[in-house]
Amino acid sequence: MDGVTSELNDSPFRSESSARDTAPQFVLPLVVRIERGAPPARTDALETAARAVLVMLSDERSLGEGEWAQAMRDWQDARIRKVVRRARGAEWRRAEALPGITVTGKAAEVRVFPPVPLDGWPKELAKLQVSGTDLDDPEPPVEADRSAPVLWLNPDVEMSAGKAMAQAGHGAQLAWWELSDEERAAWRDAGFPLAVRTADPARWRDLTSIGLPLVRDAGFTEIAPGSCTVVADHPALR
């Protein structure tokens, strides 16, 4: 599940072949908790997944000489892949026992793990399903607060909740990369406030024309290669 920022020749999200394809490939695993009787709302899950990516990027274990830092560097040197799987009950408890970080939203719970080789998932995570992450919003989401970052979804691209969670994570990561150290620290210290909303067609056209970070999917799953999926609309980047 890949995407793209601006038209950089060596973008880690570009669908075309690049030098990044020759590097060992890693994936950032995310697991969303979906219990049978109490699934999270779709928007809550998307926002929680995006925050989980930011929490992982900013965690001291991911930086410098931290225990996850080398894996994070290897992952970001190649394609930026994220895969969302679902768990419940004992599956969730086994996932929680692995090194990682659980991020909670209003009701959603998403656990993010340090990157693993594309073909080297821990068995506890490899057993989890990618399918079955279809979630709904019981009520329409309230209008986004434009004073906080908003990750805008393309209204013309249909995605499962799991796919959209990965794309929202891409958008959050692109915004993070574009910010200064001071802007990153301010966002982190505020608890990474953000919203995920589907843009109306007119707004989407405007958003994609003003130079904000834009995710283009590589087309490995669900949607066509090069599809624009998310615009990262952070106030500091407007």
Side-chain angles (χ1 to χ4, degrees), residues 4 14 28 40 73 83 88 93 109 115 132 188 192 195 204 229 231 238:
V4 72
R14 178 181 285 277
L28 187 80
R73 287 192 289 268
V83 173
R88 58 173 173 258
R93 292 190 291 274
E109 294 180 75
R188 180 196 63 222
F192 292 120
W204 179 258
T229 57
V231 169
R238 291 174 190 154

Side-chain angles (χ1 to χ4, degrees), residues 26 61 64 90 138:
F26 289 77
R61 290 166 289 185

Side-chain angles (χ1 to χ4, degrees), residues 84-210:
V84 177
R85 297 177 183 249
R86 62 178 172 87
R88 58 173 173 258
E91 295 172 332
W92 176 256
R93 292 190 291 274
R94 285 192 290 269
E96 277 201 307
L98 297 176
I101 306 168
T102 297
V103 177
T104 58
K106 295 181 179 69
E109 294 180 75
V110 174
R111 189 163 179 83
V112 59
F113 303 86
V116 298
L118 196 59
D119 57 356
W121 285 66
K123 64 180 186 301
E124 295 89 347
L125 302 183
K127 294 177 181 178
L128 301 178
Q129 296 295 311
V130 176
S131 61
T133 58
D134 294 323
L135 301 170
D136 298 311
D137 283 312
E139 298 179 0
V142 300
E143 186 172 350
D145 177 3
R146 296 294 306 282
S147 67
V150 184
L151 304 174
W152 294 102
L153 303 177
N154 187 339
D156 297 321
V157 175
E158 293 188 7
M159 296 180 281
S160 68
K163 178 74 170 181
M165 289 168 70
Q167 298 299 304
H170 289 334
Q173 185 168 2
L174 294 187
W176 179 256
W177 282 348
E178 293 286 330
L179 297 175
S180 68
D181 289 344
E182 293 77 10
E183 290 162 345
R184 289 179 180 181
W187 199 11
R188 180 196 63 222
D189 293 346
F192 292 120
L194 58 84
V196 178
R197 297 290 186 271
T198 299
D200 62 52
R203 174 171 282 174
W204 179 258
R205 287 193 296 272
D206 291 342
L207 288 165
T208 56
S209 66
I210 58 177

